[in-house]
Amino acid sequence: MKHIKRMLFACCVIAALTACSDILETESTRQNIEPEINDKTDSVFYGYGILQAMQQLADQYVFQGEMRGDLVKTTIYTDNNLRQLANFSANITNKYDSAYVYYRVINNCNYYLAKRNTELYTGSTNVVMDEYAAVTAIRAWAYLQLGRNYEKVPFFTEPLTKITQIDDNKYPELDLQGIVDQLAPELEKYKAYNVPTYGLTAGHAVGSPNWESTAKTFLPRLCFIPVAVVLGDLYLETGNYDQAAKTYVTYLTQVAQETSSPYVAPMASKSISSGRFGEQGDDDLPDQSLIGARVTTSPQWSDIFGRNSTTDIISYIPMAVNRQNGCVTNVPLAFGFNYYATSEELSANGNTNPYIDEIQIQASDALNLLSDSTEYYYYAKGGINDYDSINVAKCGDMRLRSIIHQTLVDDSTHQWIDKYKYANIVLYRTSTVLLHLAEAFNRLGMPDAAFAILKDGLSDNLIERNSNGEYYANYLSEETRSKLQSIYPLLSEENLYLFPRTSAFGIHTHGAGKAASDYAGGGGQGGSSYQTGKSPYKLDRIVGKKMKEIAETFGVNVGVTKQDTINAVEDLLCDEYALELAFEGCRYYDLMRLARHKNEAGLYDANFGSRWLARKLAFKNPTVNLEDKKNWYLPFK
């Protein structure tokens, strides 16, 4: 218990932090060391103080979540702390193994929640509750990370300000289920709340790194996490799929609409699926047609991670633009991009952009193989109508290629990942929520609904028929359609207008082209020229291929039951997590969660999920046996 007490002692401070002097500074002129937390405006100091604590854990969040996953590999330049995470040999001396960075956030949240007066109004408008709700969400997110990384952790909701609080109390050590049991009842009260904006609707320009003349902009609302998003994740982690799905639906129908246009912001990836290649009958399009292309049409999927983009982003941690002005990050540097390079350093090396040769983290062979082997779907030319046929091209998924900067250096190919080129640590995107919703739907016995999110996206086309009386999404069961209109009312009469077909794109279309159904006479992804049901990306075909792969890889007897289908669709979702969310800090946690749920389902055997996880990570040569769940976690310090 000594190390736990030392950690709690470090948290035993007043939580009134002043914010970073760079992007999280406030405009208040008060000179109090501890601003008035019960004032209508000065609690902004505490809000930004909590966000500063989030900045201080940003690197650890990314490295813990990615180095232990299957999407990255180390190089000769990899820092030893990262290498230890990658091969599961990290101990309490590891730089990126610190429970304290999460407890610092928690204790600041506890202080705010204990002291904040929630009965402050301007006229009839409560000016506090959106901020109060957002702080409960940040605390819950921090506890979620602790439970994921350390299995059981000390739990407390009182602010630690005195040493006697540690000596006189024995805080319970809770696992994720215990954490959810403690936090969910309060979070449920606030799940329809949106995040605070501090009255700011436009972004703040905050300067630029030395190598770039354009200022970085951040939106205060994106620095918070909506309650419904983190609450949905807590339910999903603990296998409460019904409440997870209902909570994500609350977010998509009641919360997201207040701060953005349709439920998914105009997806940059839409353009990746545009264009026609080859001639009719070209079933095997040469790879050269798309290799190295950065997808010239606009907007691009990679724009999501741009300097000032807010497309698809729900929550992020924006880091300072230079070392003199706030909290900085080592994440871009690990991927080979020196965001904080000075003009002098660039001039000395003859560079215009700060890419470096000492790349510490690269895409794994497993990710490259998955990306390259993914089918790309395109409209064939010729025939009565140019859109009569959708063919398969063996040229892979476009998402990984669109974020890789690659060149030949001394006869060796160097590969840089550009997701962190502008030093923003993305926590949640709309795509994250949609994929998590698909995972919950699948485990609820609706694998067709999960596949709909991958193929077509959520729109009225899922429940509408063409002129011949055929459903556009003819792979959905009547039961699933009914549930999407009632129990999980995304497509109810009340909510249907929120999901127009003109803005709905399936997640898989972000990088795999024309995977979606074609909607005759409807516009959107189709239009009057398009024919129905032409895409080879079909539920039975794709799930069948995945079932065959599972049987061959694990030597299990994959049958034709609904549970076999659910397991196969879950593996499809795992692949989609990789293609869509690679390097964003969540990969290992996705693998752990899916492995746990496979074990609990007991479809092939009670330890199938553990074997599944160990197989995916075998190439990392882990120093521990990952078929044993106790080895999934980091040592607590």
Side-chain angles (χ1 to χ4, degrees):
M1 293 291 292
K2 272 189 176 179
H3 64 289
I4 295 178
K5 284 196 172 185
R6 284 197 298 269
M7 180 275 300
L8 292 175
F9 173 75
C11 289
C12 192
V13 292
I14 298 295
L17 298 177
T18 56
C20 286
S21 59
D22 180 35
I23 60 177
L24 295 182
E25 65 183 355
T26 74
E27 296 180 357
S28 173
T29 58
R30 293 178 67 102
Q31 299 300 309
N32 297 21
I33 293 176
E34 293 181 25
E36 280 293 328
I37 198 168
N38 286 328
D39 187 270
K40 287 184 181 180
T41 57
D42 273 352
S43 71
V44 69
F45 279 95
Y46 290 84
Y48 278 161
I50 292 167
L51 299 182
Q52 180 191 6
M54 290 287 285
Q55 285 183 313
Q56 292 164 348
L57 63 75
D59 285 14
Q60 177 169 303
Y61 168 74
V62 173
F63 292 144
Q64 284 184 339
E66 290 304 321
M67 296 310 299
R68 292 180 291 167
D70 60 332
L71 307 183
V72 302
K73 66 180 180 181
T74 58
T75 74
I76 61 172
Y77 300 109
T78 304
D79 175 88
N80 196 48
N81 293 285
L82 299 180
R83 196 180 304 279
Q84 290 172 356
L85 287 174
N87 66 18
F88 291 83
S89 65
N91 56 37
I92 61 173
T93 66
N94 191 280
K95 176 181 179 181
Y96 298 112
D97 176 15
S98 172
Y100 164 63
V101 296
Y102 293 110
Y103 278 111
R104 176 164 47 197
V105 171
I106 289 166
N107 200 42
N108 277 273
C109 292
N110 286 346
Y111 185 86
Y112 172 97
L113 296 171
K115 302 293 184 180
R116 185 60 163 139
N117 179 359
T118 59
E119 298 296 324
L120 296 176
Y121 290 83
T122 296
S124 60
T125 302
N126 188 304
V127 297
V128 178
M129 288 311 300
D130 57 351
E131 182 183 81
Y132 187 90
V135 173
T136 67
I138 290 177
R139 180 176 67 180
W141 180 87
Y143 267 124
L144 173 61
Q145 308 318 311
L146 285 170
R148 285 169 161 174
N149 283 300
Y150 303 108
E151 189 174 20
K152 288 189 175 183
V153 294
F155 181 88
F156 56 94
T157 56
E158 62 175 311
L160 302 184
T161 59
K162 300 176 182 178
I163 302 302
T164 55
Q165 290 175 282
I166 300 170
D167 293 334
D168 298 343
N169 290 277
K170 181 177 175 60
Y171 296 107
E173 292 190 33
L174 303 182
D175 60 9
L176 276 171
Q177 185 60 63
I179 290 169
V180 173
D181 292 343
Q182 290 295 317
L183 295 180
E186 182 178 25
L187 293 170
E188 280 285 348
K189 294 186 293 186
Y190 306 124
K191 68 180 180 183
Y193 278 82
N194 215 317
V195 297
T197 63
Y198 294 136
L200 302 170
T201 56
H204 275 5
V206 293
S208 59
N210 288 332
W211 58 270
E212 189 173 44
S213 59
T214 306
K216 180 176 178 177
T217 300
F218 87 102
L219 283 173
R221 67 174 174 82
L222 296 182
C223 297
F224 294 94
I225 307 170
V227 172
V229 171
V230 71
L231 179 58
D233 275 10
L234 286 167
Y235 285 138
L236 186 64
E237 286 284 339
T238 52
N240 190 340
Y241 306 115
D242 176 66
Q243 285 302 316
K246 288 174 178 175
T247 305
Y248 293 135
V249 169
T250 296
Y251 171 75
L252 292 169
T253 59
Q254 298 182 41
V255 180
Q257 304 300 323
E258 296 183 20
T259 53
S260 62
S261 49
Y263 74 102
V264 57
M267 287 301 295
S269 51
K270 169 188 174 185
S271 63
I272 292 177
S273 61
S274 67
R276 302 192 298 279
F277 308 97
E279 297 296 328
Q280 188 175 21
D282 283 349
D283 295 324
D284 192 5
L285 191 70
D287 286 357
Q288 286 79 2
S289 60
L290 291 175
I291 275 186
R294 298 276 261 169
V295 188
T296 56
T297 50
S298 181
Q300 298 178 22
W301 179 80
S302 57
D303 290 343
I304 292 170
F305 312 99
R307 179 191 310 106
N308 298 323
S309 174
T310 60
T311 298
D312 199 47
I313 293 176
I314 295 173
S315 179
Y316 68 173
I317 305 173
M319 306 303 288
V321 296
N322 57 58
R323 296 182 180 93
Q324 289 72 42
N325 292 317
C327 300
V328 299
T329 173
N330 287 321
V331 174
L333 190 68
F335 285 102
F337 190 86
N338 188 2
Y339 180 76
Y340 300 106
T342 65
S343 301
E344 293 76 15
E345 289 171 336
L346 291 177
S347 297
N349 295 326
N351 293 333
T352 55
N353 281 321
Y355 292 104
I356 60 173
D357 292 339
E358 297 81 10
I359 305 168
Q360 299 182 59
I361 307 174
Q362 290 191 317
S364 69
D365 294 343
L367 177 57
N368 281 312
L369 178 61
L370 172 63
S371 178
D372 292 343
S373 62
T374 298
E375 295 177 339
Y376 188 90
Y377 308 101
Y378 67 100
Y379 286 117
K381 296 173 69 174
I384 298 173
N385 191 313
D386 277 354
Y387 305 93
D388 275 349
S389 178
I390 297 178
N391 288 349
V392 176
K394 296 180 180 179
C395 54
D397 191 274
M398 294 293 104
R399 282 167 287 190
L400 180 60
R401 292 175 183 175
S402 73
I403 57 162
I404 285 180
H405 179 82
Q406 187 167 295
T407 191
L408 193 65
V409 179
D410 298 328
D411 297 325
S412 175
T413 299
H414 281 43
Q415 184 187 95
W416 298 272
I417 305 298
D418 280 349
K419 272 195 177 180
Y420 291 102
K421 186 175 178 180
Y422 297 101
N424 291 327
I425 311 298
V426 176
L427 301 181
Y428 286 102
R429 297 195 277 122
T430 302
S431 294
T432 319
V433 173
L434 291 173
L435 286 169
H436 286 182
L437 176 61
E439 184 182 330
F441 278 164
N442 184 50
R443 280 294 175 185
L444 283 167
M446 298 191 295
D448 51 347
F451 192 75
I453 289 173
L454 298 184
K455 180 177 175 65
D456 292 315
L458 299 171
S459 80
D460 53 0
N461 277 307
L462 295 181
I463 60 171
E464 296 214 359
R465 304 172 189 260
N466 62 20
S467 58
N468 296 323
E470 303 166 324
Y471 281 111
Y472 292 124
N474 57 14
Y475 53 89
L476 286 183
S477 70
E478 287 295 338
E479 181 183 6
T480 291
R481 285 194 182 87
S482 175
K483 287 181 177 179
L484 291 177
Q485 294 174 283
S486 56
I487 301 174
Y488 312 106
L490 292 159
L491 305 181
S492 67
E493 185 175 345
E494 178 184 7
N495 292 327
L496 195 58
Y497 78 97
L498 299 172
F499 307 102
R501 68 189 67 179
T502 53
S503 61
F505 296 92
I507 300 294
H508 198 61
T509 68
H510 295 177
K514 295 298 182 183
S517 303
D518 291 325
Y519 306 131
Q525 291 188 30
S528 58
S529 298
Y530 296 75
Q531 303 298 308
T532 301
K534 295 293 185 180
S535 177
Y537 188 71
K538 298 180 185 296
L539 177 62
D540 290 345
R541 174 177 175 267
I542 299 301
V543 170
K545 289 177 63 176
K546 181 58 72 174
M547 285 179 167
K548 182 179 178 181
E549 176 189 316
I550 292 168
E552 293 175 350
T553 302
F554 294 97
V556 295
N557 183 22
V558 178
V560 293
T561 70
K562 190 168 188 177
Q563 289 305 310
D564 289 298
T565 298
I566 288 170
N567 182 69
V569 169
E570 190 169 73
D571 278 30
L572 289 177
L573 290 171
C574 184
D575 290 347
E576 205 66 40
Y577 283 138
L579 295 169
E580 180 73 20
L581 306 176
F583 318 123
E584 293 180 34
C586 51
R587 181 57 175 179
Y588 183 62
Y589 308 126
D590 289 337
L591 294 178
M592 288 177 68
R593 182 179 66 254
L594 296 177
R596 271 201 319 274
H597 295 164
K598 288 177 187 296
N599 282 343
E600 291 161 3
L603 176 60
Y604 301 119
D605 61 65
N607 206 43
F608 175 71
S610 299
R611 291 196 295 116
W612 176 88
L613 176 67
R615 174 92 181 200
K616 281 189 172 292
L617 300 176
F619 77 93
K620 304 173 80 72
N621 297 314
T623 61
V624 296
N625 177 15
L626 292 176
E627 292 188 23
D628 187 340
K629 282 182 61 177
K630 75 175 187 297
N631 293 323
W632 295 1
Y633 301 97
L634 288 167
F636 184 92
K637 84 168 179 180

